[in-house]
């Protein structure tokens, strides 16, 4: 056993060196953290008090979930395209839009894990509007930043703990690259991967299978206690148009992965959770959220929750593999934003956030027990 532990420690050290590349010695100095345990301010630790609503937004009551005192796993979060900076790539300054997106997408996981979220030089919204794309070539710089930050996390903060990777849109694409280049080929890191939640990033698998496609050794999640697997989906509440941006691939023999997070944890419906604080006013993401035409409650608690308001299931809809969202019991019907090709991309991370948090709790318990 002693030699096994020494061998694993050596392999982990080699993996960290490979992650950061030639800049490993300065990785810590170059990492700027959006969220990190003990950091102040930290948008990923806003508290967990929650006001529960019916599908018609009638107040049902208030709950006060308690975070676990000593979480056994960590969550490493990479945010989506949010920067309004007027350059092709953002710098690593923490702007209001990064603080808001961390609150919307990552903070709720703090109930069951320590949340780490690095800043990175992402392809900005203005760059995409001017014709730039999030191609593998475009993502080399963002991926380099995240690889370096992940190496810093492993070396300084992880101490051998299991980790959940969480990303959306550009963040999901970057984490696909991290898994492909580093984790998928490294047995030690695969053993420490609790799961990867990669939303709105078109993760590919071989058609009809749970493996292949983007990853050789990391499969899709098929049960709530499975370790080292991937949850992925893009949500639509209308049939995706033929030119939809998500759910489609031209790779022969592959399909876009859809894992239903509600079904995975044995729930009958989605469990939507949103922050009570509005998204950073004046930002482009705030404008996009407004186009959804959803009235979100603003109670004095940190969160609002609408259990039972939406049914979700994975389907081949109009030739796209997506998570279909259907309003129940008079719940609001969202408008695709900014247009039908996007579907409900802007709320991928929130439409079933309660289910995903439950999944992390169960996977974390299974990882700790194993």
């Amino acid at each position: 056993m002693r030699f096994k532990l020494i061998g694993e420690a050596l392999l982990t050290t080699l993996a960290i060196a490979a992650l950061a590349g030639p800049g490993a010695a300065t990785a810590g100095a170059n990492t700027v953290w959006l969220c990190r345990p003990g950091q102040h301010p930290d948008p990923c630790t806003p508290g967990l008090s929650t006001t529960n609503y019916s599908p018609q937004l009638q107040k049902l009551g208030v709950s006060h979930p308690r975070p676990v005192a000593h979480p056994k796993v960590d969550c490493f979060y990479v945010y989506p395209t949010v920067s309004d900076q007027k350059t092709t790539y953002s710098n690593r300054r923490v702007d209001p839009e990064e603080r808001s997106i961390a609150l919307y997408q990552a903070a709720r996981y703090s109930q069951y894990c320590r949340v780490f979220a690095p800043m990175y030089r992402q392809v900005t919204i203005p760059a995409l509007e001017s014709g730039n794309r999030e191609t593998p070539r475009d993502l080399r710089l963002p991926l380099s930043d995240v690889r370096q930050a992940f190496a810093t996390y492993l070396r300084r903060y992880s101490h051998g703990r299991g980790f959940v990777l969480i990303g959306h849109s550009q963040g999901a694409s970057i984490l696909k690259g991290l898994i492909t280049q580093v984790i998928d080929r490294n047995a030690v890191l695969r053993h420490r991967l609790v799961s990867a939640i990669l939303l709105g990033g078109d993760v590919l698998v071989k058609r009809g299978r749970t493996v292949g496609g983007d990853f050789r050794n990391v499969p899709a999640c098929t049960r709530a206690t499975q370790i080292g697997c991937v949850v992925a989906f893009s949500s639509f509440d209308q049939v995706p148009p033929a030119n939809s941006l998500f759910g489609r691939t031209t790779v022969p023999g592959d399909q876009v992965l859809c894992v239903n997070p509600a079904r995975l944890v044995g729930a009958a419906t989605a469990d939507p959770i949103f922050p009570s604080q509005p998204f950073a006013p004046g930002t482009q993401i705030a404008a996009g959220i407004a186009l959804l035409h959803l009235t979100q409650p603003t109670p004095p608690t940190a969160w609002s929750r609408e259990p039972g308001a939406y049914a979700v299931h994975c389907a081949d809809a109009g030739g796209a593999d997506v998570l279909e969202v259907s309003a129940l019991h008079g719940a609001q019907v969202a408008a695709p934003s900014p247009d039908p090709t996007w579907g409900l991309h802007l709320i991928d991370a929130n439409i079933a956030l309660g289910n995903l948090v439950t999944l992390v709790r169960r996977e974390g318990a299974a990882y700790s027990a194993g």
Side-chain angles (χ1 to χ4, degrees):
M1 177 63 70
R2 179 172 178 269
F3 290 109
K4 179 181 178 182
L5 292 175
I6 292 172
E8 289 189 355
L10 176 60
L11 288 173
T12 300
T13 300
L14 293 174
I16 293 171
L19 264 167
T26 59
N30 291 335
T31 300
V32 176
W33 293 104
L34 172 60
C35 299
R36 180 174 59 81
Q39 175 174 285
H40 300 285
D42 184 350
C44 290
T45 54
L48 297 169
S49 61
T50 305
T51 302
N52 299 308
Y53 292 88
S54 73
Q56 301 86 9
L57 299 185
Q58 297 172 325
K59 184 177 176 180
L60 301 177
V62 175
S63 61
H64 299 278
R66 295 176 63 88
V68 296
H70 303 287
K72 302 296 185 183
V73 300
D74 296 332
C75 290
F76 188 89
Y77 167 69
V78 182
Y79 52 85
T81 311
V82 295
S83 178
D84 284 343
Q85 293 181 19
K86 306 303 183 185
T87 50
T88 300
Y89 292 100
S90 65
N91 58 32
R92 284 178 281 198
R93 181 184 69 217
V94 180
D95 289 329
E97 54 264 39
E98 283 88 20
R99 288 191 290 270
S100 278
I101 202 67
L103 171 64
Y104 267 65
Q105 295 191 344
R108 189 72 188 199
Y109 293 95
S110 65
Q111 185 173 358
Y112 297 116
C113 63
R114 304 188 307 170
V115 181
F116 292 80
M119 295 295 297
Y120 68 98
R121 291 169 288 182
Q122 73 166 204
V123 181
T124 66
I125 294 176
L128 293 176
E129 290 177 336
S130 66
N132 292 78
R133 301 184 64 188
E134 295 174 1
T135 64
R137 181 182 181 88
D138 295 326
L139 293 180
R140 286 178 185 173
L141 179 63
L143 177 56
S144 174
D145 285 350
V146 171
R147 282 182 59 147
Q148 188 178 73
F150 189 63
T152 301
Y153 158 73
L154 289 176
R155 189 177 64 254
R156 291 193 172 185
Y157 305 110
S158 172
H159 306 299
R161 298 156 62 91
F163 54 83
V164 180
L165 301 178
I166 302 171
H168 179 238
S169 196
Q170 185 172 169
S173 296
I174 291 168
L175 286 176
K176 280 199 302 183
L178 180 71
I179 295 171
T180 300
Q181 295 179 14
V182 180
I183 295 172
D184 194 42
R185 63 182 66 179
N186 184 292
V188 173
L189 290 179
R190 284 204 314 274
H191 177 74
R192 291 173 56 186
L193 175 64
V194 178
S195 68
I197 299 172
L198 307 180
L199 309 180
D202 284 350
V203 175
L204 299 183
V205 292
K206 293 298 181 185
R207 182 161 296 279
R209 300 179 59 192
T210 60
V211 293
D214 284 321
F215 313 132
R216 179 175 299 178
N217 300 299
V218 179
C221 294
T222 58
R223 61 186 188 280
T225 56
Q226 185 177 355
I227 302 302
C229 59
V230 177
V231 172
F233 61 80
S234 289
S235 54
F236 283 76
D237 63 354
Q238 301 176 5
V239 175
N243 61 338
S244 64
L245 299 179
F246 308 100
R248 302 182 185 278
T249 180
T250 58
V251 179
D254 284 1
Q255 69 181 96
V256 175
L257 175 64
C258 179
V259 174
N260 182 341
R263 182 177 181 181
L264 203 59
V265 297
T269 58
D271 188 2
I273 300 179
F274 290 88
S276 301
Q277 179 179 318
F279 201 91
T283 61
Q284 296 204 53
I285 294 297
I289 290 173
L291 291 175
L292 292 164
H293 300 303
L294 291 175
T295 299
Q296 289 299 327
T298 56
T301 56
W303 303 92
S304 66
R305 178 173 171 254
E306 301 168 34
Y310 298 95
V312 290
H313 73 281
C314 290
D316 180 341
D321 294 294
V322 300
L323 185 72
E324 288 193 331
V325 179
S326 303
L328 301 173
H329 313 300
Q332 300 176 86
V333 177
S337 176
D339 61 53
T341 66
W342 289 72
L344 303 185
H345 185 72
L346 295 184
I347 54 172
D348 280 338
N350 296 96
I351 195 66
L353 181 55
N355 308 113
L356 292 169
V357 170
T358 297
L359 177 65
V360 167
R361 174 176 62 83
R362 294 185 185 177
E363 289 175 331
Y367 180 87
S368 299

